[in-house]
Amino acid sequence: MRFRSVAAVLLMVLLAACSPDYNWREVSLADGQVVAIFPDKPREQTKTLPFAGHDIPFTLSGTVLNDTVFAVGHAPLPPEVGQDAEQRTLMYRQIVQSFYGNFGLTPPEALPEPGTRFSIEGQGPKGLLRLEGVVWMHSGSVTEGLVTAPAGSFPQAQADEFLRAIKAPGG
């Protein structure tokens, strides 16, 4: 009888240890234009981004798990911006430079090309943070995928999985 109790306790401990924090789920965003996986149910928030005389609705879907933010942002581009390569380049630069600015850093002169993964480390409100992200520019939209966490506990494998799984126009 004692063996069964010990076996039952061991089984419960093993099951608890195997219980994943990351409950990945596929989510369709931006009316099906973007597909991503999130480690928990994402929340969505929309705000307006002013750019070149346009108010562009930008929707950010994200979740926080173990001090890590997993987020995907998407905005449709007005034709005047989307069809103009120079305007898209300016918008891309503005977006990527803002990530550096959020960390109080000066962006490098040479930014990564659109669709190329990048990382930034800088001071956040609670210490050193790491951001890994990708920004895709397309004639009809801009999409970004971001993972941010304390630098000392950055979940590299989960960040890789999250960013690799994003399917976006132009991505």
Side-chain angles (χ1 to χ4, degrees), residues 39-111:
D40 198 4
K41 184 177 180 183
R43 287 187 231 141
E44 193 171 276
Q45 178 183 3
T46 301
K47 62 182 178 178
T48 301
L49 296 178
F51 179 78
H54 299 277
D55 289 331
I56 301 172
F58 179 81
T59 302
L60 188 66
S61 302
T63 189
V64 179
L65 185 62
N66 300 330
D67 292 331
T68 302
V69 176
F70 296 86
V72 174
H74 181 81
L77 297 179
E80 302 82 28
V81 174
Q83 301 302 318
D84 184 332
E86 188 174 313
Q87 289 292 306
R88 287 194 317 270
T89 299
L90 286 172
M91 179 177 238
Y92 173 79
R93 290 189 63 76
Q94 182 178 325
I95 290 169
V96 176
Q97 288 172 343
S98 74
F99 299 137
Y100 285 91
N102 290 341
F103 286 115
L105 301 172
T106 301
E109 188 62 36
L111 295 174

